Amino acid sequence: MSKKWHILSALLLVAFLRVNAQQNLERKPSQLRANFSVLGLGANYELRLLKFTTLNLDAEVGMGVSYSYSDYMGSDWGYAIVPDFSVGIRQYYNIARREKKGKRIDNNSGNFFTVRGGYMANPIAANDYYEGNYAYFVPAWGMQRSWGKHFSFEAQFGIRFSPVEYENGAINALDARLKVGYVIW
């Protein structure tokens, strides 16, 4: 597992340190959004650090749904409503190309690579099978688009890694986020 971590870290480092000859664009230095996702709601603050790099802070209350089946125990549905806090670095890689093609770049409309770490707190409500209160790490690819002046859409896809060990191993899973946001400023 450690060799995979080293390879993944090296690939992400190359993506983040990639030298791009894109022009300097006028974009907002920061933005605050209220988000509605498929299974939750939250707030997001994005702060520009470098020309195409931003710091992204997320706080949300999300819901997870699961289904399991075992010959011995039968089938069962699970659910949890959980607070989730995360901090990530985003590297946008196609904003200048989008502007050159006449596409929108406001509200950081573009594709990005991100590395985020977070903390999933104890559930507000859950059935007996959910165990919360753990930290995680997610390398992901994402895209962000503007709809009008104040609305945005965001999608992220990655792999969630957690150092927490349970009987069946660590919590490693696909991580997908779909959000519609209202840009406050």
Side-chain angles (χ1 to χ4, degrees):
M1 177 98 157
S2 69
K3 187 174 183 179
K4 290 179 186 177
W5 277 97
H6 291 287
I7 292 171
L8 182 62
S9 297
L11 288 173
L12 289 171
L13 184 63
V14 167
F16 275 82
L17 297 178
R18 185 182 137 226
V19 176
N20 50 29
Q22 297 182 346
Q23 59 191 334
N24 191 9
L25 303 171
E26 290 297 322
R27 296 182 298 129
K28 291 196 287 188
S30 66
Q31 66 181 1
L32 177 66
R33 287 192 313 256
N35 293 317
F36 301 96
S37 63
V38 176
L39 297 173
L41 58 102
N44 168 271
Y45 180 71
E46 190 171 8
L47 175 68
R48 185 171 54 190
L49 300 175
L50 299 170
K51 186 166 34 170
F52 297 107
T53 305
T54 63
L55 176 68
N56 199 57
L57 307 170
D58 270 317
E60 64 182 298
V61 175
M63 180 175 169
V65 179
S66 66
Y67 176 77
S68 63
Y69 175 78
S70 167
D71 288 335
Y72 177 71
M73 297 183 70
S75 64
D76 195 18
W77 284 93
Y79 71 93
I81 299 173
V82 183
D84 185 3
F85 306 96
S86 66
V87 176
I89 298 289
R90 290 183 178 182
Q91 176 65 42
Y92 289 90
Y93 62 87
N94 71 335
I95 290 179
R97 187 173 15 164
R98 287 180 58 79
E99 184 185 48
K100 192 182 258 186
K101 290 182 177 183
K103 296 182 179 180
R104 296 181 68 161
I105 61 166
D106 55 329
N107 299 330
N108 291 337
S109 292
N111 299 353
F112 58 86
F113 292 106
T114 184
V115 177
R116 79 176 189 275
Y119 176 74
M120 184 127 344
N122 285 324
I124 296 169
N127 65 352
D128 294 337
Y129 299 104
Y130 182 80
E131 295 182 35
N133 205 17
Y134 66 90
Y136 60 86
F137 168 78
V138 180
W141 171 88
M143 62 181 269
Q144 189 167 265
R145 299 293 187 264
S146 288
W147 292 337
K149 186 176 180 179
H150 288 285
F151 288 95
S152 69
F153 170 76
E154 180 181 314
Q156 280 188 46
F157 305 98
I159 299 174
R160 180 180 292 215
F161 298 98
S162 177
V164 177
E165 290 286 336
Y166 291 105
E167 290 178 18
N168 298 329
I171 303 173
N172 297 330
L174 293 176
D175 186 90
R177 292 179 171 213
L178 301 173
K179 299 178 184 179
V180 174
Y182 181 81
V183 179
I184 298 168
W185 84 68

